Amino acid sequence: MLKLGSYPGQRMLSPERLALPDYDYLAQRHVLTYMEDAVCQLLENKEDISQYGIARFFTEYFNSVCQGTHILFREFSFIQATPHNRASFLRAFWRCFRTVGKNGDLLTMKEYHCLLQLLCPDFPLELTQKAARIVLMDDAMDCLMSFSDFLFAFQIQFYYSEFLESVAAIYQDLLSGKNPNTVIVPTSSSGQHRQRPAVGEASLPEGVEASLFSQCLENLCDRHKYSCPPPALVKEVLSNVQRLTFYGFLMALSKHHGINQALGALPDRGDLMHDPAMDEELERLVMRSRLHRTSRQHRATEPGAFGFQRRDKLEAPENMLSASAPTPYPYRWEPRE
Amino acid sequence: MDCQAEVNCGLHLVIQTSSLPEKNKVEFRLNKETSSFPGRLLQHDLERNYSSRQGDHINLVSSSMPSFPILQRSSEEKILYSDRLTLERQKLTVCPVIDGEEHLRLLNFQHNFITRIQNISNLQRLIFLDLYDNQIEEISGLSTLRSLRVLLLGKNRIKKISNLENLKSLDVLDLHGNQITKIENVNHLCALRVLNLARNLLSHVDNLTGLDSLTELNLRHNQITFVRDVDNLPCLQRLFLSFNNISNFESVCCLADSASLSDITFDGNPIAQESWYKHTVLQNMMQLRQLDMKRVTEEERRMASLVAKKEEEKKRESHKQSLLKEKKRLTINNVARKWDLQQHRVTSIATNQDRKDTDSPSQDSCQMDGSTISAFPEETGPLDPVLTNALQGLSVTDTHLVEVEGDTLSLYGSGALESLDRNWSVQTAGMVTTVSFTFIEFDEIVQVLPKLKMKFPNSLHLKFKETNLVMLQQFNALAQLRRIDQLTIDPQGNPVVNFTLWKYYVLFRLSHFSMQKINGTEVTQNDMIMAERLFGILAHVASSELPQYRVISILGDARKKQFRYLQETKGKKPGIVNEENNDSKRLVGENTNRAMLNYTTRDFYNEKLEEIKEKKKFCQMYIEDLVKEATEINKKNEALQKLWPQMFIELVRDAVIEIRSKNSYMKLCLQQITDQK
């Protein structure tokens, strides 16, 4: 059993952390989520894991949590569960499909959704749609989007989903003239109070006033339990404009360097296509596949029985499941009784 | 005394003449062969004395009129041959004026150069007029010859049949060897028995009404393509159509209706070259006695009816085939409509509910009656009232179709997937190289892929149309097959084709198949490299960065599903066991880093998640308990930490107090020891 009191490192024992009551602390760090998930995984794969020991399993599990690979091919409910999961997922998506972006292809919202589904089979369409709306400013939803545009907008939408929902509610309130703040500031903006949404918005200036909006958001950030972007940066975004629309605001958030860095999942926009380690690996893979293809083509000229020929293991997979796997798991290659 | 003149072309001519000695047999020969034309003669040669065979002495004296010579006969001649006059080969260019011969009944102008029929209007007793082999261009000058019975105008230059109105007694009309293009103006000749129009320019035969006595019609050597009106000839016995352009029996079908016909010739026509010629004619003209101048035997008639029966059989066979095709087409249409309805229902549901939880649309029972359809008023187009009526009628036909044509197995409708369970003969199954799926949900197809692999091992080309391929992930499911050379995804009903990257993804995920063609286009080295470039990292991450236990569990899942089928069937046979071994080994040999990328159909996935829920709940509770314990212990620990200094001091103090007086302490210890015992 893990002893919770014995974490190494000085800052672990800082007074604020220890000041929190147990459950709060655990909840804040989402420790229980990972514990539950670990045990659940253990249960699911009892037979396989019992082969090499539970201790090793837990090591691997938490290592993968730290590395951010624990969310690969997991169900959406798990991916959404903690901010760390979300960030890891974003990072994984970036790493896996950076090449698509590098290739310069512009894809539709549906296709990006497809790519997301490759990593998470039950990823909901609404999230992707909302992300696309940010990029396209709620316009033609069939438009093509670039990889970087989509990725950054998706980051904001996915990581801060709950926050954004509240922001949307606030925005609607402001549009319709209801001020969520209890304090009514009798300034020129009070003219907004009398406006009804039924009076065509086109005749009014678009969006809401930035300063008022900023105030509301500040209150929201204070109240919010969920993660929200650093309030200082939000204020920065809002201080640059006089008025702004909902999607304008979100777009500004997605483009903001500081917020991206605060999140820590993705590199800066300028460096988005840049990942030398992966590129090297990719070159190796491409080279290997080239060799494969030519050698297979040679063999393709002599068909065997049924026109199919056995493929010998040309490649020696480095860190992949090797073909010697049958030995530790012999039962796999026989029919189950 | 009767004089019989035998004529080569089958003319039987009887002429009543005045008494004549036997030796003076009159011979009229109508030649069919063209004799060489003598050169054109000038009029002034008319004076030459040329004695004819008959020995008539003819004197042609040029008259005062420069064009028409006048004919005079000696009075002995006139008495001897009072009713006949022969002016054969007289080099005549015009008809001479014949005076004083009003009793003439026979007039012979054969082999001359006469261009116009003239100067014979006064011979009103004429019965027989022979103008064979002249240069007559138009029938004229005959309007007074009301008694004429035989008119021979063969081998002239006549272009049109005309001016025969008054010749109501005409018995024989010979117009062979002319340039006539049309049969006309003969409808009043109700006494006509023989009509010869051979060697003309006729292209068709009609307008034969009114010839109520016609027995023989000679149309040889024309360009006739079709024949009509022959059934309006009540007496016609002999019809000669040799050397024309008749190519099928339909163009002469009126002959079948002629009860009187007994003798017909078709030789030299294209129809006579056909294999079915004889028996078709015989079958259609049962009344025939002679065909192409040969008697029709009973044997031939029997053969003809036999062959006709066989033809009937063949026709019925092909009719059946076309019926079958029609049924197939209807079935496919039926399946298509059912599919459409399903799809429409899906779209209307999806707009209302959360898409995540929508079950597979094939679960919805699709009723074919109109009431269900009217529930979706927003659907226009394909669901008009006519169609719903048709649908009600169609609900009786099959709802799926399985077809094997040579090397292609075609499946329409989800019901067709069950046919894979059938016992296919090894030969049929071995020949199938292409499998085509239409109007079936891809998720359903995925479940039968193991079966397909087993039963049709040679299937190299897969085609999908209207199968609801929407995600790239679905292609992962195809990796379990043995091999695919070609893949065809029809854009109709498969939205995945609209994605820019779908082909590359397919090439990437199914790279171990080394596919040759996708949707008809060859796969190039560049395509493969691009595919690798685009998605190679995904595979790398999927395989190398997953913790070991995840790798095993994912692979295990995939194997489990495949083995599920094999176990359910005759998995106990040793042969199958080896198959499995080979299969699995092969799978390992394949690019295992891709093997991570699987596809579970939505149903299975949701099922799995449901199963996990229980476990999750248990884990939650278990962890809660653990946490409770741990926090309690932590609390106790913290409390202990807090209290410890105090406790320690107390302990020490107590101990010190105890040991203060050595004696009492020793006593106490001894007491304790004895108490213990």
Side-chain angles (χ1 to χ4, degrees):
Chain A
M1 196 151 65
L2 294 176
K3 290 181 74 177
L4 288 169
S6 56
Y7 286 120
Q10 190 60 23
R11 80 186 155 88
M12 294 294 179
L13 297 170
S14 63
E16 317 108 34
R17 283 172 85 104
L18 296 176
L20 278 176
D22 319 320
Y23 285 113
D24 286 349
Y25 169 77
L26 291 175
Q28 198 187 58
R29 300 295 169 210
H30 303 280
V31 174
L32 289 183
T33 319
Y34 293 111
M35 285 302 303
E36 282 166 19
D37 187 60
V39 175
C40 200
Q41 293 269 296
L42 182 60
L43 271 182
E44 264 186 83
N45 304 296
K46 259 191 293 195
E47 308 102 0
D48 310 322
I49 295 172
S50 58
Q51 299 278 332
Y52 59 88
I54 295 182
R56 186 165 149 201
F57 161 74
F58 273 108
T59 320
E60 276 186 9
Y61 180 84
F62 282 105
N63 267 336
S64 92
V65 171
C66 284
Q67 284 167 359
T69 57
H70 58 301
I71 35 80
L72 289 171
F73 311 120
R74 293 297 305 271
E75 61 278 8
F76 178 68
S77 50
F78 179 66
I79 294 180
Q80 203 195 27
T82 72
H84 173 66
N85 284 6
R86 296 188 194 185
S88 310
F89 184 72
L90 289 167
R91 192 170 177 79
F93 183 74
W94 167 67
R95 287 174 77 222
C96 288
F97 297 114
R98 174 185 60 95
T99 38
V100 171
K102 204 164 168 195
N103 201 37
D105 288 308
L106 296 177
L107 308 178
T108 60
M109 180 268 297
K110 283 223 175 89
E111 196 156 2
Y112 281 119
H113 185 66
C114 241
L115 295 180
L116 283 165
Q117 279 183 315
L118 284 175
L119 291 177
C120 168
D122 58 346
F123 202 88
L125 186 62
E126 292 88 39
L127 269 181
T128 327
Q129 274 176 336
K130 285 186 187 160
R133 268 197 211 112
I134 299 176
V135 178
L136 303 168
M137 299 298 237
D138 208 9
D139 212 351
M141 289 302 283
D142 284 335
C143 264
L144 303 170
M145 299 177 278
S146 77
F147 183 70
S148 48
D149 281 345
F150 174 75
L151 187 55
F152 285 109
F154 179 70
Q155 173 177 248
I156 297 292
Q157 176 61 52
F158 182 47
Y159 195 80
Y160 297 124
S161 342
E162 295 85 359
F163 174 72
L164 287 192
E165 269 179 44
S166 315
V167 170
I170 292 177
Y171 183 79
Q172 283 305 318
D173 285 344
L174 283 180
L175 265 188
S176 62
K178 288 184 279 163
N179 194 334
N181 285 349
T182 48
V183 178
I184 296 175
V185 180
T187 60
S188 57
S189 61
S190 63
Q192 266 186 351
H193 295 290
R194 299 201 189 92
Q195 283 144 9
R196 293 277 171 269
V199 181
E201 272 185 64
S203 55
L204 305 165
E206 254 193 31
V208 300
E209 215 201 303
S211 46
L212 187 58
F213 195 50
S214 169
Q215 247 180 333
C216 302
L217 289 188
E218 245 185 272
N219 295 344
L220 180 65
C221 287
D222 290 336
R223 287 183 307 208
H224 235 250
K225 296 241 172 40
Y226 310 116
S227 55
C228 52
L233 297 175
V234 172
K235 219 170 176 173
E236 204 186 299
V237 167
L238 290 171
S239 62
N240 291 337
V241 288
Q242 186 66 11
R243 307 184 68 85
L244 76 180
T245 60
F246 181 62
Y247 286 110
F249 171 59
L250 294 184
M251 198 53 178
L253 280 183
S254 80
K255 289 207 161 110
H256 197 279
H257 287 275
I259 295 182
N260 182 36
Q261 276 173 358
L263 238 166
L266 302 174
D268 280 338
R269 207 184 189 107
D271 294 331
L272 196 61
M273 302 303 172
H274 197 59
D275 188 357
M278 269 308 179
D279 281 340
E280 247 184 74
E281 187 62 44
L282 186 59
E283 285 308 313
R284 249 177 276 152
L285 288 168
V286 170
M287 202 54 56
R288 207 188 297 146
S289 87
R290 243 205 206 116
L291 287 170
H292 264 189
R293 174 111 173 133
T294 42
S295 65
R296 270 181 199 152
Q297 275 171 347
H298 284 315
R299 267 182 289 149
T301 53
E302 317 123 11
F306 293 139
F308 171 82
Q309 56 273 11
R310 298 290 306 268
R311 307 218 187 289
D312 302 330
K313 310 188 277 63
L314 240 201
E315 51 180 275
E318 308 144 348
N319 40 11
M320 292 180 277
L321 196 60
S322 70
S324 61
T327 2
Y329 314 104
Y331 65 87
R332 262 189 205 295
W333 314 126
E334 279 144 27
R336 300 263 173 81
E337 298 311 331
Chain B
M1 200 173 355
D2 285 356
C3 179
Q4 291 202 320
E6 300 252 2
V7 192
N8 276 7
C9 61
L11 261 185
H12 223 84
L13 193 60
V14 176
I15 301 175
Q16 280 279 55
T17 66
S18 54
S19 53
L20 265 180
E22 264 298 289
K23 56 182 170 138
N24 284 7
K25 236 186 164 160
V26 178
E27 263 196 41
F28 294 98
R29 285 177 55 210
L30 295 175
N31 294 325
K32 277 199 284 196
E33 283 74 61
T34 49
S35 44
S36 51
F37 234 43
R40 295 288 309 257
L41 297 170
L42 300 173
Q43 272 198 298
H44 60 260
D45 285 343
L46 284 169
E47 289 198 6
R48 228 197 303 161
N49 235 358
Y50 185 90
S51 57
S52 67
R53 262 186 250 108
Q54 285 81 11
D56 282 348
H57 287 296
I58 300 161
N59 281 329
L60 290 169
V61 178
S62 35
S63 66
S64 49
M65 290 162 50
S67 45
F68 294 124
I70 301 181
L71 181 76
Q72 281 173 357
R73 287 204 288 183
S74 60
S75 27
E76 304 94 51
E77 296 276 334
K78 269 201 208 168
I79 297 168
L80 231 63
Y81 310 109
S82 57
D83 63 348
R84 61 194 64 196
L85 178 57
T86 308
L87 292 168
E88 222 179 288
R89 293 182 210 273
Q90 295 298 314
K91 302 199 175 105
L92 297 167
T93 54
V94 289
C95 293
V97 176
I98 304 172
D99 264 344
E101 302 269 10
E102 273 71 25
H103 306 291
L104 222 49
R105 296 210 283 179
L106 247 125
L107 184 50
N108 182 352
F109 274 125
Q110 277 191 50
H111 304 296
N112 282 294
F113 308 101
I114 298 169
T115 52
R116 280 193 69 182
I117 311 173
Q118 297 163 305
N119 301 323
I120 51 171
S121 345
N122 49 338
L123 307 172
Q124 296 193 6
R125 296 269 183 90
L126 211 55
I127 295 177
F128 185 102
L129 177 57
D130 186 354
L131 286 159
Y132 172 75
D133 190 15
N134 278 282
Q135 292 172 11
I136 297 169
E137 288 170 13
E138 192 197 338
I139 306 175
S140 57
L142 304 170
S143 42
T144 53
L145 309 176
R146 287 176 216 281
S147 319
L148 199 65
R149 302 246 279 270
V150 179
L151 177 55
L152 308 178
L153 286 168
K155 210 159 161 218
N156 278 283
R157 297 178 189 174
I158 299 169
K159 295 192 174 47
K160 188 172 165 182
I161 309 174
S162 56
N163 297 327
L164 300 171
E165 283 83 47
N166 295 340
L167 307 178
K168 292 216 169 45
S169 322
L170 210 56
D171 189 37
V172 174
L173 177 55
D174 180 9
L175 288 165
H176 84 271
N178 279 289
Q179 297 162 12
I180 297 168
T181 54
K182 202 167 154 202
I183 302 178
E184 55 189 337
N185 300 324
V186 296
N187 307 85
H188 57 283
L189 302 172
C190 37
L192 196 67
R193 283 184 313 122
V194 176
L195 177 55
N196 185 354
L197 286 165
R199 290 188 195 274
N200 274 286
L201 301 174
L202 293 171
S203 58
H204 59 270
V205 176
D206 55 8
N207 207 1
L208 290 173
T209 47
L211 299 168
D212 295 334
S213 311
L214 198 65
T215 321
E216 177 173 321
L217 180 54
N218 185 351
L219 295 166
R220 288 190 175 93
H221 291 281
N222 276 284
Q223 299 157 11
I224 294 168
T225 50
F226 67 85
V227 174
R228 281 209 276 262
D229 283 351
V230 169
D231 42 343
N232 292 330
L233 302 171
C235 299
L236 190 68
Q237 288 169 23
R238 293 181 291 278
L239 178 58
F240 305 113
L241 286 165
S242 315
F243 299 101
N244 275 289
N245 212 357
I246 295 167
S247 47
N248 55 33
F249 195 78
E250 281 70 44
S251 45
V252 300
C253 59
C254 65
L255 299 179
D257 299 328
S258 166
S260 51
L261 261 180
S262 64
D263 204 333
I264 198 165
T265 65
F266 278 114
D267 53 296
N269 282 282
I271 195 180
Q273 305 300 319
E274 300 283 359
S275 52
W276 39 261
Y277 161 62
K278 205 164 191 187
H279 63 258
T280 308
V281 172
L282 288 181
Q283 187 65 10
N284 284 297
M285 300 183 67
M286 300 294 277
Q287 71 277 39
L288 257 150
R289 297 239 192 84
Q290 274 204 97
L291 175 61
D292 293 337
M293 308 308 266
K294 284 181 281 202
R295 276 212 60 190
V296 175
T297 62
E298 272 311 307
E299 181 67 29
E300 283 172 327
R301 262 192 248 274
R302 217 160 15 91
M303 282 299 297
S305 67
L306 256 170
V307 176
K309 248 186 239 143
K310 259 197 232 153
E311 291 270 326
E312 194 57 40
E313 274 293 320
K314 240 199 281 176
K315 237 192 257 175
R316 247 180 283 151
E317 205 35 58
S318 74
H319 184 60
K320 237 198 320 187
Q321 289 293 334
S322 58
L323 268 179
L324 210 68
K325 256 198 200 142
E326 186 59 25
K327 182 153 186 258
K328 247 190 254 175
R329 195 182 63 84
L330 277 175
T331 309
I332 293 178
N333 274 352
N334 192 15
V335 177
R337 261 178 223 124
K338 188 165 168 214
W339 174 261
D340 274 342
L341 277 172
Q342 277 180 0
Q343 300 305 307
H344 283 292
R345 287 187 75 137
V346 170
T347 51
S348 53
I349 288 173
T351 47
N352 297 337
Q353 291 177 12
D354 184 16
R355 188 180 168 274
K356 219 203 300 195
D357 302 304
T358 309
D359 279 330
S360 165
S362 58
Q363 307 280 337
D364 293 330
S365 63
C366 184
Q367 294 154 12
M368 300 291 272
D369 56 279
S371 56
T372 333
I373 298 167
S374 61
F376 301 98
E378 68 268 20
E379 293 159 347
T380 51
L383 296 174
D384 53 34
V386 178
L387 190 66
T388 48
N389 288 338
L391 277 169
Q392 285 169 340
L394 277 178
S395 58
V396 183
T397 58
D398 288 341
T399 53
H400 65 266
L401 177 64
V402 179
E403 195 182 23
V404 179
E405 259 180 71
D407 65 352
T408 306
L409 168 67
S410 307
L411 302 164
Y412 298 87
S414 53
L417 294 177
E418 287 159 5
S419 71
L420 290 173
D421 288 328
R422 265 195 245 159
N423 280 330
W424 296 91
S425 79
V426 177
Q427 204 192 17
T428 332
M431 282 207 353
V432 168
T433 59
T434 305
V435 183
S436 149
F437 300 93
T438 320
F439 302 123
I440 313 175
E441 287 280 351
F442 187 80
D443 286 0
E444 288 176 29
I445 299 175
V446 164
Q447 292 167 36
V448 302
L449 283 179
K451 277 190 220 171
L452 187 72
K453 194 161 79 156
M454 275 203 66
K455 295 263 174 143
F456 295 95
N458 286 344
S459 50
L460 297 175
H461 180 183
L462 293 185
K463 294 167 86 160
F464 297 91
K465 181 173 164 176
E466 290 280 3
T467 52
N468 235 356
L469 269 168
V470 290
M471 303 194 282
L472 292 175
Q473 215 194 3
Q474 287 173 305
F475 288 119
N476 294 348
L478 295 177
Q480 64 185 284
L481 291 172
R482 203 173 265 141
R483 180 175 169 178
I484 301 179
D485 261 354
Q486 265 197 68
L487 193 60
T488 304
I489 314 284
D490 197 305
Q492 193 181 342
N494 290 318
V496 86
V497 175
N498 295 330
F499 292 154
T500 328
L501 303 174
W502 79 273
K503 277 196 194 169
Y504 293 121
Y505 186 76
V506 170
L507 287 175
F508 153 76
R509 181 64 185 87
L510 305 175
S511 62
H512 57 288
F513 288 152
S514 290
M515 278 203 271
Q516 309 281 330
K517 276 194 189 175
I518 295 187
N519 275 19
T521 33
E522 292 264 344
V523 171
T524 64
Q525 176 87 322
N526 285 340
D527 288 337
M528 295 296 290
I529 292 181
M530 179 55 101
E532 193 67 34
R533 240 180 237 293
L534 282 174
F535 295 107
I537 293 186
L538 173 65
H540 174 79
V541 164
S543 59
S544 60
E545 298 192 357
L546 275 181
Q548 195 79 321
Y549 74 90
R550 290 287 324 277
V551 169
I552 296 172
S553 81
I554 290 180
L555 278 183
D557 264 347
R559 302 260 194 281
K560 263 185 224 152
K561 262 194 287 152
Q562 286 175 46
F563 284 175
R564 206 186 290 176
Y565 167 69
L566 292 170
Q567 283 166 32
E568 280 167 10
T569 56
K570 327 137 200 180
K572 311 290 180 182
K573 284 201 204 146
I576 306 293
V577 170
N578 289 335
E579 180 108 17
E580 277 176 20
N581 282 340
N582 292 344
D583 250 2
S584 341
K585 287 208 190 104
R586 218 175 279 144
L587 277 165
V588 172
E590 125 187 21
N591 228 342
T592 24
N593 65 358
R594 307 238 162 145
M596 281 314 120
L597 304 168
N598 282 336
Y599 174 64
T600 11
T601 60
R602 191 149 287 269
D603 291 345
F604 278 161
Y605 196 75
N606 292 339
E607 243 179 65
K608 220 173 60 167
L609 289 181
E610 281 294 321
E611 282 173 17
I612 296 178
K613 264 193 199 153
E614 274 272 338
K615 292 200 182 119
K616 273 200 176 142
K617 237 187 252 164
F618 167 74
C619 293
Q620 224 174 351
M621 279 173 29
Y622 179 66
I623 298 284
E624 253 185 72
D625 290 341
L626 281 182
V627 168
K628 246 187 242 161
E629 262 190 74
T631 48
E632 272 184 31
I633 293 178
N634 189 37
K635 269 200 196 118
K636 288 184 194 161
N637 202 12
E638 277 182 10
L640 181 63
Q641 295 284 4
K642 278 200 196 115
L643 293 171
W644 181 245
Q646 189 68 21
M647 282 169 67
F648 187 69
I649 292 172
E650 277 177 23
L651 275 172
V652 169
R653 195 192 58 195
D654 288 346
V656 165
I657 290 174
E658 253 186 31
I659 303 180
R660 212 140 158 239
S661 69
K662 271 196 207 156
N663 288 339
S664 51
Y665 185 62
M666 274 194 309
K667 266 192 208 146
L668 192 63
C669 285
L670 280 169
Q671 185 84 25
Q672 278 178 352
I673 291 171
T674 47
D675 283 344
Q676 269 179 8
K677 289 216 187 106

